[in-house]
Amino acid sequence: MSDKLLPHGHPTRAPASQRGRTAEVLEHAKALGKQIEVMIDGRAITVPLGATILEAAQQLGIRIPTLCYHEDLCLAGVCRICVVEVEGQRTLQASCSYPITAPIHVKTHTPAVRKARRHILDLMLASHYGECYTCARNGNCELQSLAEEYGVDYFRFGRMEKPRYEIDLSSHALVRDMNKCILCRRCVRTCIDLQEVGVLEAIDRGNRIKITTFGDKPLSDVVCINCGQCINRCPTGALRANDNTDEVWQAIDDPTKHVVIQTAPSPRAGIGECFGLPPGQPMTFRMNTALRYCGFDKVFDTNFAADLTILEEGTELLLRLKAALANDECGMMNDESKSRHSEQSQLQNIHKSSFINHHSPGPLPQFTSCSPGWVKFAEHFYPEYLDHISSCKSPQQMFGALLKTYYAEKTGVDPKDIVTVALMPCSAKKFECNRPEMCASGFKDIDYGLTTRELAKMIREVGVDLPNMNKTDFDEPFGTATGSGVIFGTTGGVMESAIRTVLELVTGKKIESLFDYAEVKPVRGFEGIRYAELPITEVGPVPAIISHLFKDWNWLKGVTLKVAVAHGTANAKLVMEDIKAGGKLSECHFIEFMACPGGCLGGGGQPIPTSPEIRAARAKAIYDEDRSYTIRKSHENPALLQVYADFLTDGPCGHRSHELLHTHYTPRGKYIA
Amino acid sequence: MIVETTHGSLTFCSIEPGSGLDSTLERPPANALGRIEASGLRGRGGAGFPTSLKWDLAIKSPGENKYVICNADEGEPGTFKDRVILSDFADLVFEGMTIGAFVIGAKRGIVYLRGEYAYLRSHLETVLRRRRAQNLLGKKIRGRDGFDFDIEIRMGAGAYVCGEETALIESLEGQRGEPRNRPPFPIDTGYLGNPTIVNNVETFAWVVCILAKGAKWFNSIGTKKSTGLKLFSVSGDCSQPGVYEFPMGITVAELLKEVGGEGAKAVQVGGAAGQCVPAAQFERTIAYEDVPTGGSVIVFGPDRDMLRVAENFLEFFADESCGQCTPCREGTPKLIEGVKMLQQGRCSMHYIHELCSLGETMQLASKCGLGQMAPNAFLSIVEHFQDEILGRIGK
Ligand SMILES: Cc1cc2nc3c(=O)[nH]c(=O)nc-3n(C[C@H](O)[C@H](O)[C@H](O)COP(=O)(O)O)c2cc1C
Ligand code: SF4
Ligand code: SF4
Ligand code: SF4
Ligand code: SF4
Ligand code: FES
């Protein structure tokens, strides 16, 4: 398993001033396995040539404080808090970005080093405006904990008397308070390197420098995709998610409101971290109890809607495949859709085509639609490809639509009194639930999106110690979902679930006969882009649930399904550019895109910090949970089949489902007025 | 404010363009490198890094597309000697670059010209054209198979920090002018990731002189660690400001005598980034091992207010800091605040010590030379002019 978020050879767009190891020479040396012995605080250690002092010290268990350094990002060397003494060097060196190329002697806590660190901290505090007790990051702030670690007990160089910058509250997803910014530029590198969005940049010089958007516009007016990856990597409270807990409390406290919450798979794999547990401790059923304790009337599992998505999106894929394979006039990427990709005619046509989408199958490859960060990324940067995106709403929104229709009918609660809350690992979901098109029932599908961090706060507020709660199940009528729904939380999970369902529906054979334990290993892992081919050698009868759409599967016999998975929008961009250039990935039938590195488990609403190890631990929790289920395939979910029998009676991709569960997209382009 | 008289006849006048190059091309590159090494030439841009060592590292660094960059960003307050060289001795600079290319195996050279010197550009382009016509640049230079080299001129945009070699390269690559982490150094990963030597205008000119007149001639002048001659830009309270050529190792007092600045109370050697030498230390030598300089000498007469001097320099740095790293970005404004407090007589002894200690941290922990040198003037003024400064306390 590779932790590398950026695929090999991917050029970072951060300027070289913010990179430590540009030297391919050093990369080569590392690859060649050349080793070198260094002394740190009198202790010897052998490291690969080109490793940094920080990496070597970490291996020895020596702690060096860092602020601008982040495991996921290229090296900046700007905060200088990590300085150490390297024998023979006139000045102190930033250990995070100093590559070891000679057998050096390093000292990590000489008087000069300690004094410098303290000064740097004092200088940061002197230009920082904010009070810890009113800060979202109180107790989880790297600046705050360093101040404690270094025993800061007064403002040596004074402090800010008043704020310098207005707080940017324009975005549904993020709040930017640059008064708390320490200019470590982790957000800048995140946005440009991990996400290839690049809305954040440093402007001006000296102490007039600030991190802002292109043109210093509010975040809602730039191409921000709301992924929140910058929040997760900000060491301070300068960036945070737009907090909805007050509104949610208000709804809970209102006796006329019926407040239901759905919980996505990733928060339960992460929330333990907010309560001091190591990453990867699933809290699913304890969290259910805690949610009831908080006062939610019903607790549902988003995985139910994930299963619903698989049926809808899988059916949509089969329809697109049929259109492309069973009759020639709708070939994959036919001439019409190719010409649409020419730059000028794009925008008008897209409106038309995404509208047509509801009625006739769109082109291949089909792209997943459950990551709202990815959807907005595509709307900005690849508007000419919107008809490739599945018209299915995300599970969150599908569930909301069902709650205010099917569930309202079934329970007799007036939909206007139902408040739908979604617990998500995601900041982009806050934007998604406010999209104007997301109110199929006449009411907002989802009223409020909560992040994992916000829920942890609510749970603490009611005085509950989550890890010690007893376990309770989800509420009816949606019951417990399947293992397929759970793995939506990790990169490759949607693809794996879709493969489990589509292959069973088409071949009539158990997926276990193709993949041990139904684990579709080729699409698992953390490689930035993964590709797999799945030959369909034989076909079975068409199952009843979709027999109104397909007569037989003969047209699929002998076809090799080609699928790909990408996570982090930097990788999404590589995939899209490959498709644009007519490369190998343009031949794919289905591609899963997740905006966040690692998939939802690495979402912008998850506990902070994040790192490759933390994400791997969360993924393990998710895959373990999948294994623990008896039903592991979406199309076998009994509650779901009940919904199709009672409510969505014209079946997957039928009329009702189109009305409630499908949507369309907005070509936004890169330039916003 | 800048005067451009040159005093005395400069060595550069006696060097015939082409003389250094032809003899160099006749022998293997290692020969030229050996002679530069023997001369003891150190970089004339300020830091004083041995030129031959830098070039040797670039030779050893693997890479097909090596670059020679001439740092003509001359932004140090009180420095104007590179301008004189560029306008009067451009041939020497280009010839030095060509020799550098021959030694390290580069195909392309770039002159990074200070934005304010844009008016020199057409003159420099004319010289380049002439040199191409003379086959001193271009393909098969002087008939040597496989030795192709040409030079282009690129303009800076007015940021002092872009004179720092890695910020200069960032700027050439179209990024914000911000210094990079070093190591790796430009000799490994310079312009567009290629091995690159960055040298000062004057350094290139001296290379030609050394190859024409011999390493022995050069290293017999100056001190053991600081050999040869150097140009100085002298300004401030003296009767004859301008550009001078002096041997390295000259004392401050000797220099003042030459420029008519005998009554000075202090001399700022090395520009804003340099040191402020008080009258009591005028016997000190200007050399890399004592008081180093990139060539700027600013004379302060008896009536100068040294706090104003410190404030001026600090404001320059606060303005020119790229804002990347904490000590420089946040530290410099704190020192300015301190100077203002001193001016108003409300800075405690305790806080002065605190600020001096902060200055030491800036020298040690800043990412690039700018932040490392920003507190120099403040620290030396506080050290040497305590009476003048503290006199105001309680006033
Ligand atoms: C802030 C800053 C500004 C600098 N400005 C210049 C400059 O204007 N010209 C110059 O030649 N070197 C300048 N330098 C030094 C260069 O970084 C580099 O050391 C020099 O160009 C190397 O050439 P040399 O070895 O021939 O001196 C500056 C350094 C710093 C830190
Ligand atoms: S950002 Fe950190 S230090 Fe600043 S107020 Fe918030 S918790 Fe405190
Ligand atoms: S939310 Fe995502 S796109 Fe928006 S600024 Fe942060 S990293 Fe960039
Ligand atoms: S907003 Fe946060 S991540 Fe970005 S520079 Fe400021 S402190 Fe660093
Ligand atoms: S020392 Fe100053 S100029 Fe140099 S990198 Fe730091 S902030 Fe920029
Ligand atoms: S952590 Fe090394 S400079 Fe910031």
Side-chain angles (χ1 to χ4, degrees):
Chain A
M1 193 171 70
S2 154
D3 298 327
K4 245 193 165 156
L5 294 177
L6 298 172
H8 185 69
H10 175 72
T12 151
R13 275 169 65 196
S17 64
Q18 293 178 43
R19 278 181 261 149
R21 286 170 292 187
T22 43
E24 285 96 32
V25 197
L26 300 179
E27 287 294 320
H28 283 159
K30 249 184 164 177
L32 290 172
K34 203 169 164 210
Q35 303 281 313
I36 201 158
E37 195 187 77
V38 291
M39 296 288 283
I40 303 183
D41 294 342
R43 293 159 65 191
I45 182 160
T46 305
V47 292
L49 188 77
T52 62
I53 294 177
L54 180 67
E55 286 164 349
Q58 278 169 346
Q59 276 183 44
L60 281 170
I62 295 170
R63 186 181 138 70
I64 296 175
T66 55
L67 278 172
C68 66
Y69 172 82
H70 193 285
E71 262 182 282
D72 288 333
L73 305 173
C74 63
L75 307 171
V78 297
C79 75
R80 314 306 287 179
I81 196 85
C82 69
V83 285
V84 295
E85 227 173 271
V86 176
E87 235 176 73
Q89 301 269 353
R90 184 176 50 89
T91 57
L92 301 176
Q93 301 295 326
S95 60
C96 69
S97 46
Y98 189 100
I100 298 169
T101 54
I104 48 174
H105 287 239
V106 178
K107 289 185 185 140
T108 69
H109 52 258
T110 60
V113 167
R114 293 200 318 271
K115 189 176 90 173
R117 286 187 190 151
R118 180 66 205 266
H119 275 147
I120 288 166
L121 207 53
D122 286 326
L123 287 173
M124 283 177 176
L125 294 175
S127 59
H128 171 277
Y129 178 85
E131 295 287 1
C132 296
Y133 33 77
T134 57
C135 183
R137 292 293 291 277
N138 193 359
N140 182 25
C141 168
E142 293 178 40
L143 181 62
Q144 190 188 45
S145 43
L146 275 184
E148 190 202 2
E149 200 175 317
Y150 281 78
V152 172
D153 51 4
Y154 74 111
F155 293 99
R156 190 190 306 260
F157 300 118
R159 61 186 305 190
M160 300 299 293
E161 309 264 295
K162 52 184 191 320
R164 276 188 287 180
Y165 309 111
E166 216 172 298
I167 299 176
D168 180 0
L169 291 159
S170 64
S171 159
H172 281 298
L174 277 84
V175 178
R176 296 173 63 244
D177 180 358
M178 289 303 109
N179 297 300
K180 291 174 182 164
C181 173
I182 56 167
L183 295 162
C184 69
R185 303 204 202 176
R186 274 158 47 164
C187 55
V188 176
R189 282 171 284 148
T190 301
C191 198
I192 194 139
D193 264 2
L194 287 188
Q195 300 301 77
E196 276 283 349
V197 179
V199 301
L200 299 176
E201 207 15 300
I203 60 162
D204 220 327
R205 293 197 307 221
N207 75 340
R208 305 170 311 278
I209 196 170
K210 74 166 177 171
I211 307 295
T212 186
T213 60
F214 180 72
D216 207 7
K217 291 187 205 166
L219 206 55
S220 58
D221 292 353
V222 294
V223 295
C224 169
I225 64 168
N226 304 307
C227 66
Q229 290 305 306
C230 51
I231 302 179
N232 285 12
R233 289 171 184 78
C234 178
T236 70
L239 295 173
R240 61 183 156 92
N242 202 344
D243 190 316
N244 290 115
T245 46
D246 278 348
E247 290 93 324
V248 172
W249 278 128
Q250 217 164 31
I252 288 176
D253 296 340
D254 182 344
T256 67
K257 296 291 181 203
H258 181 72
V259 187
V260 300
I261 187 164
Q262 53 163 310
T263 72
S266 289
R268 51 188 85 153
I271 195 166
E273 295 161 36
C274 297
F275 293 87
L277 296 180
Q281 308 279 314
M283 288 284 116
T284 318
F285 299 104
R286 300 185 201 280
M287 205 169 73
N288 288 350
T289 317
L291 286 166
R292 294 193 177 93
Y293 207 88
C294 288
F296 289 97
D297 295 304
K298 295 283 175 188
V299 182
F300 300 128
D301 192 346
T302 305
N303 298 346
F304 166 82
D307 286 336
L308 179 61
T309 306
I310 287 301
L311 241 72
E312 292 290 333
E313 196 164 342
T315 306
E316 184 186 353
L317 175 64
L318 288 165
L319 286 169
R320 289 188 193 224
L321 281 166
K322 188 176 151 202
L325 303 174
N327 81 41
D328 282 334
E329 66 202 55
C330 283
M332 357 171 348
M333 283 273 230
N334 56 27
D335 286 347
E336 192 228 329
S337 87
K338 268 197 181 131
S339 75
R340 220 186 11 258
H341 298 152
S342 78
E343 296 287 322
Q344 319 115 334
S345 62
Q346 291 164 12
L347 294 189
Q348 292 109 333
N349 276 327
I350 292 149
H351 254 317
K352 207 165 68 197
S353 59
S354 42
F355 176 74
I356 292 169
N357 224 2
H358 290 255
H359 305 279
S360 69
L364 292 172
Q366 173 173 303
F367 302 156
T368 57
S369 59
C370 38
S371 165
W374 147 247
V375 167
K376 193 153 183 271
F377 183 80
E379 288 178 334
H380 283 304
F381 298 99
Y382 298 97
E384 70 273 29
Y385 282 91
L386 292 183
D387 52 356
H388 287 256
I389 302 181
S390 161
S391 63
C392 290
K393 287 182 183 174
S394 69
Q396 156 177 302
Q397 297 300 127
M398 282 199 184
F399 212 148
L402 277 189
L403 287 169
K404 295 206 175 164
T405 55
Y406 170 72
Y407 173 78
E409 250 171 71
K410 208 168 163 107
T411 53
V413 185
D414 189 335
K416 82 168 172 21
D417 293 328
I418 299 180
V419 176
T420 47
V421 181
L423 171 63
M424 292 289 145
C426 183
S427 48
K429 293 276 174 196
K430 290 173 182 281
F431 173 82
E432 185 186 31
C433 75
N434 285 302
R435 278 177 178 257
E437 62 271 24
M438 294 288 180
C439 40
S441 62
F443 303 95
K444 269 178 86 179
D445 293 344
I446 292 294
D447 292 297
Y448 304 110
L450 284 183
T451 62
T452 312
R453 298 188 295 265
E454 285 158 32
L455 180 70
K457 202 174 84 174
M458 289 180 72
I459 291 178
R460 272 197 298 265
E461 199 172 338
V462 293
V464 161
D465 182 26
L466 183 65
N468 290 317
M469 282 270 102
N470 58 350
K471 300 182 179 181
T472 52
D473 210 339
F474 290 102
D475 282 307
E476 294 303 338
F478 302 108
T480 306
T482 68
S484 274
V486 176
I487 58 174
F488 261 59
T490 172
T491 163
V494 178
M495 184 56 71
E496 179 163 353
S497 305
I499 289 170
R500 287 180 188 172
T501 287
V502 168
L503 285 190
E504 283 205 0
L505 292 180
V506 168
T507 63
K509 290 175 52 173
K510 287 282 155 204
I511 189 80
E512 287 83 349
S513 67
L514 297 168
F515 296 99
D516 289 346
Y517 308 107
E519 290 176 0
V520 190
K521 289 271 163 65
V523 298
R524 292 194 178 185
F526 282 102
E527 208 72 50
I529 298 168
R530 307 188 290 285
Y531 172 84
E533 297 191 352
L534 307 153
I536 302 177
T537 47
E538 45 190 308
V539 293
V542 177
I545 190 162
I546 46 174
S547 58
H548 59 296
L549 295 170
F550 307 94
K551 278 199 294 295
D552 59 57
W553 297 130
N554 292 336
W555 49 275
L556 264 176
K557 198 167 168 179
V559 168
T560 296
L561 272 188
K562 296 175 180 173
V563 300
V565 171
H567 61 124
T569 39
N571 290 310
K573 178 174 171 178
L574 290 180
V575 171
M576 291 306 298
E577 293 301 320
D578 185 72
I579 292 175
K580 256 185 153 166
K584 170 170 146 182
L585 296 172
S586 66
E587 288 164 22
C588 277
H589 300 105
F590 192 30
I591 304 181
E592 176 200 296
F593 289 103
M594 292 290 159
C596 296
C600 305
L601 56 84
Q606 287 284 70
I608 300 169
T610 183
S611 71
E613 293 74 46
I614 292 173
R615 292 191 293 275
R618 292 176 190 159
K620 184 173 177 303
I622 282 173
Y623 283 126
D624 286 350
E625 189 164 341
D626 168 38
R627 274 213 184 193
S628 74
Y629 281 91
T630 31
I631 305 177
R632 299 184 47 214
K633 284 157 262 181
S634 303
H635 57 286
E636 291 176 354
N637 182 337
L640 180 57
L641 298 175
Q642 198 61 46
V643 172
Y644 277 111
D646 294 351
F647 185 67
L648 301 168
T649 47
D650 46 359
C653 292
H655 194 71
R656 189 137 206 199
S657 105
H658 262 304
E659 212 170 88
L660 292 176
L661 310 181
H662 290 246
T663 186
H664 58 272
Y665 306 104
T666 315
R668 295 175 198 270
K670 282 184 230 176
Y671 306 99
I672 301 177
Chain B
M1 109 188 176
I2 293 165
V3 231
E4 211 174 287
T5 35
T6 46
H7 297 267
S9 146
L10 305 182
T11 306
F12 296 155
C13 301
S14 65
I15 305 294
E16 198 56 42
S19 58
L21 185 61
D22 282 334
S23 67
T24 302
L25 294 185
E26 282 158 16
R27 286 170 253 186
N31 182 283
L33 186 70
R35 283 193 283 161
I36 297 167
E37 187 184 349
S39 77
L41 174 65
R42 293 169 68 166
R44 294 303 195 231
F49 192 82
T51 305
S52 62
L53 182 54
K54 186 185 287 186
W55 290 15
D56 193 33
L57 290 168
I59 294 171
K60 294 191 176 117
S61 178
E64 288 298 302
N65 300 307
K66 297 185 181 177
Y67 280 85
V68 174
I69 293 181
C70 171
N71 189 341
D73 195 46
E74 192 166 54
E76 192 68 57
T79 320
F80 39 93
K81 48 109 188 159
D82 287 349
R83 184 172 63 180
V84 169
I85 301 172
L86 288 168
S87 46
D88 297 354
F89 308 103
D91 263 308
L92 294 187
V93 179
F94 296 144
E95 192 149 322
M97 290 175 74
T98 312
I99 291 168
F102 178 68
V103 170
I104 71 160
K107 298 237 168 323
R108 296 185 55 193
I110 300 172
V111 176
Y112 186 87
L113 187 62
R114 179 179 182 186
E116 288 85 341
Y117 292 177
Y119 72 95
L120 282 173
R121 184 169 185 166
S122 63
H123 162 64
L124 295 174
E125 297 281 9
T126 311
V127 176
L128 283 176
R129 269 195 302 277
R130 197 196 68 236
R131 289 185 71 86
R132 281 183 202 115
Q134 293 172 312
N135 190 221
L136 291 164
L137 283 174
K139 299 245 179 256
K140 281 201 212 175
I141 292 175
R142 290 308 220 195
R144 258 195 81 98
D145 259 337
F147 182 37
D148 306 338
F149 179 68
D150 211 334
I151 297 172
E152 66 174 306
I153 296 174
R154 303 270 292 270
M155 300 306 299
Y160 167 61
V161 71
C162 287
E164 196 280 338
E165 55 185 16
T166 59
L168 183 154
I169 291 170
E170 283 283 296
S171 163
L172 281 177
E173 291 180 5
Q175 310 279 9
R176 266 173 77 87
E178 290 184 341
R180 297 175 174 177
N181 293 308
R182 305 184 318 161
F185 294 94
I187 45 103
D188 275 326
T189 54
Y191 183 56
L192 302 176
N194 301 299
T196 303
I197 52 169
V198 182
N199 281 106
N200 175 249
V201 171
E202 189 187 340
T203 310
F204 284 117
W206 285 118
V207 163
V208 180
C209 300
I210 289 164
L211 292 178
K213 294 173 78 103
K216 259 215 147 66
W217 158 75
F218 194 77
N219 73 19
S220 63
I221 308 168
T223 71
K224 208 163 168 343
K225 286 183 173 165
S226 311
T227 55
L229 297 157
K230 163 115 198 62
L231 295 200
F232 290 83
S233 323
V234 182
S235 61
D237 307 327
C238 58
S239 58
Q240 291 178 74
V243 171
Y244 290 81
E245 181 181 288
F246 291 129
M248 293 296 287
I250 186 173
T251 67
V252 178
E254 284 163 0
L255 184 144
L256 283 174
K257 213 164 140 206
E258 297 285 337
V259 306
E262 284 96 337
K265 104 173 173 196
V267 176
Q268 179 77 15
V269 182
Q275 292 183 26
C276 190
V277 182
Q281 298 185 4
F282 281 175
E283 282 313 311
R284 289 179 69 181
T285 57
I286 299 180
Y288 299 112
E289 63 272 24
D290 191 358
V291 188
T293 180
S296 159
V297 173
I298 305 172
V299 184
F300 298 125
D303 299 333
R304 289 277 174 159
D305 173 349
M306 292 317 281
L307 270 183
R308 277 291 301 153
V309 169
E311 189 185 5
N312 258 329
F313 284 143
L314 286 170
E315 269 167 359
F316 170 77
F317 286 116
D319 210 46
E320 295 293 339
S321 157
C322 80
Q324 189 181 184
C325 74
T326 320
C328 166
R329 178 188 67 234
E330 309 292 346
T332 317
K334 289 295 154 203
L335 298 187
I336 294 177
E337 265 174 46
V339 169
K340 294 220 159 93
M341 286 162 78
L342 280 167
Q343 283 167 346
Q344 294 158 4
R346 43 179 199 91
C347 186
S348 67
M349 280 307 284
H350 176 77
Y351 197 58
I352 295 177
H353 286 141
E354 202 78 272
L355 290 176
C356 289
S357 165
L358 173 65
E360 286 160 23
T361 288
M362 290 169 63
Q363 289 176 322
L364 287 175
S366 293
K367 182 164 178 169
C368 84
L370 193 153
Q372 288 160 12
M373 299 178 302
N376 288 359
F378 172 84
L379 290 176
S380 41
I381 287 171
V382 170
E383 186 188 337
H384 302 309
F385 298 92
Q386 270 211 13
D387 292 345
E388 180 179 333
I389 288 168
L390 298 185
R392 310 197 192 193
I393 287 184
K395 229 188 249 171

